[in-house]
Amino acid sequence: MECSRWEGQLREVMVQAVCARGEKNHILEFQLKPLHPASKVLGCWAADHNFSGSIIGDTVIINGDLELTVWYAYEQNQKTELLRERLNYLCEIELENLTGRLEQGEELHLTEEKEPQVSSYYLEGEEIKGAVEIGFTAEIMGLTKLRVLAYPAEED
């Protein structure tokens, strides 16, 4: 096998790669006032979740909303009613493992790892309070350079 003048030399290769990543479990606290003074909270759930994200420096900002539905009893538990309210939230995810400068066109891949789940709810005075948990993973994809050693191909 004959040695090439390129053998063992470094080459720069442009690749599409995950250049930064971050995860966050976000807790959204809520406080609602029903139309009728509640005597008992019978159930609470989140649905119709929408979100989008944008990159600002080393942070991803998530802007989202969801519909919260609370089933409650009033008039000494003789009547029930559903309370629906749209909740908006902002969530910040700090990015880690930045690989330096991107060559061009970064792209955000945002994944909902944990669907909105009501983790607690309770009656306090005339208000229904509680929390919703949501989990996200953010990945920044972009063109970046890798350095590799170049060796000649073996001939058959």
Side-chain angles (χ1 to χ4, degrees):
M1 179 167 85
E2 200 174 299
C3 289
S4 167
R5 65 183 176 116
W6 305 109
E7 183 176 346
Q9 292 189 0
L10 285 177
R11 297 283 180 267
E12 286 186 342
V13 179
M14 295 292 290
V15 296
Q16 179 85 7
V18 175
C19 298
R21 176 175 293 159
E23 294 180 1
K24 175 119 184 218
N25 286 324
H26 182 70
I27 297 178
L28 171 63
E29 294 182 349
F30 63 87
Q31 181 174 322
L32 307 173
K33 187 166 181 174
L35 292 173
H36 309 283
S39 53
K40 188 176 186 177
V41 180
L42 304 170
C44 186
W45 59 93
D48 192 22
H49 184 217
N50 302 299
F51 62 92
S52 63
S54 57
I55 307 164
I56 299 176
D58 292 347
T59 305
V60 171
I61 306 294
I62 300 172
N63 187 358
D65 63 78
L66 56 86
E67 183 176 280
L68 189 68
T69 304
V70 180
W71 181 32
Y72 70 96
Y74 62 99
E75 291 186 13
Q76 287 81 36
N77 298 331
Q78 298 298 310
K79 296 181 179 180
T80 65
E81 189 167 276
L82 289 178
L83 169 62
R84 287 190 174 97
E85 191 157 324
R86 195 113 203 127
L87 301 179
N88 298 308
Y89 66 89
L90 281 175
C91 173
E92 291 185 11
I93 300 178
E94 294 295 322
L95 297 173
E96 299 174 18
N97 302 326
L98 293 173
T99 59
R101 303 181 92 188
L102 297 175
E103 295 300 320
Q104 57 178 287
E106 58 190 27
E107 185 178 315
L108 172 62
H109 289 225
L110 196 54
T111 308
E112 179 186 57
E113 295 296 330
K114 181 178 183 181
E115 291 183 12
Q117 210 169 25
V118 177
S119 57
S120 67
Y121 57 89
Y122 56 94
L123 190 58
E124 186 176 289
E126 293 185 7
E127 294 182 326
I128 298 169
K129 296 182 177 184
V132 178
E133 292 182 33
I134 311 167
F136 294 101
T137 298
E139 292 182 330
I140 307 300
M141 300 288 291
L143 283 178
T144 190
K145 288 182 184 176
L146 294 179
R147 290 194 175 129
V148 297
L149 282 174
Y151 293 96
E154 289 187 27
E155 294 182 26
D156 293 330

